[in-house]
Each structure stands twice: as C-alpha cells, then as structure tokens.
Amino acid sequence: MNAYIPQYRLTLTAGAHSARHIRRIVRSLLDEWELQELSDAVELGVTELVTNVVRHVPDRRCALLVLRLAGAVRVEVADGVPELPYTTPQLSAEAEGGRGLVLLDAVVDKWGVGARSGGGKTVWFECGTP
C-alpha cells in the first residue's frame, strides 16, 4: 500500500498579495491532481482564509497545507492566534468585514476550526467530499 499522500506545505508571512500567489499555487496543484472542477471553490476558500490572517493575525505568520483526498481537497491554514473565528449573525449593508466565513460556508462542502497544540488555531475546509 502506498502511504504517499499528495500534499503541499508552505509557511509564510502573509501580505497584501499573498492570496493571489497562493491561488496560483492551488490552481497548479488541482491541475496536476486532475481536480480542476474544484478550482473556483478552493481558490475562493483559500483566499478567505489567507485574508483573515492578514486582517486578524498581528505577525501575519501562517502555515498552509493542501492535501489531496480521494476525489477531494482539504486546505488548512494555521496561525498562532488562539481566538477562534466566528460568524456575525446580522451584518449591516455597510459593514466592511464579517462575510468571509459566510462566503466560505456557501462554497465549500465542509469547514471547521480547532485549537492547535502549542497555541493558535487551524481553520480548514474540504471541497469535493461526498
């Protein structure tokens, strides 16, 4: 049995253009893994998670993990901030933020967040899961 799981790992300090570069990487991985039909959802999801790092993590450090599953993809973004993200039940039309997780929920099959051992959290999502 082959224990190899196709994956991509990246540790970075996220900046204003990081999401654009990570979208390109993800698109390339999905092409290689022949999962192009997941590109729109995965690219949007990873954009939201990286943008949250830029907005809410003081040092902007994070680790990205992209895993190929059976016909699916899992993306994890971990950072050192222990506060868990939350969705805002009622947003005003003028609100500049607070829609990222609502949008994520609308385009991925499942997502979640959990505390990391040693501090911080990991926000993850999966696309293409049955």
Side-chain angles (χ1 to χ4, degrees):
M1 181 169 150
N2 184 356
Y4 173 72
I5 298 173
Q7 61 182 281
Y8 177 82
R9 290 181 187 270
L10 175 66
T11 301
L12 71 144
T13 301
H17 302 290
S18 296
R20 176 180 53 178
H21 298 298
I22 292 171
R23 280 194 306 271
R24 288 183 189 158
I25 291 167
V26 166
R27 188 177 316 121
S28 175
L29 289 170
L30 294 174
D31 285 347
E32 180 181 328
W33 295 341
E34 298 181 357
L35 294 170
Q36 297 91 338
E37 70 276 7
L38 302 178
S39 283
D40 289 343
V42 174
E43 288 179 48
L44 190 131
V46 79
T47 297
E48 289 303 322
L49 297 189
V50 171
T51 299
N52 282 347
V53 169
V54 171
R55 287 187 172 200
H56 303 293
V57 175
D59 67 2
R60 295 183 173 188
R61 302 272 312 146
C62 67
L64 169 76
L65 173 63
V66 183
L67 292 168
R68 180 181 179 191
L69 307 174
V73 173
R74 179 181 175 101
V75 175
E76 299 179 1
V77 176
D79 63 58
V81 175
E83 288 82 28
L84 302 180
Y86 58 90
T87 56
T88 307
Q90 297 293 326
L91 287 172
S92 72
E94 296 81 31
E96 291 186 20
R99 292 178 181 82
L101 293 177
V102 174
L103 184 58
L104 182 70
D105 189 56
V107 300
V108 303
D109 295 312
K110 58 185 176 178
W111 70 275
V113 60
R116 287 176 44 199
S117 62
K121 67 180 169 302
T122 299
V123 184
W124 60 270
F125 68 85
E126 293 180 3
C127 291
T129 52

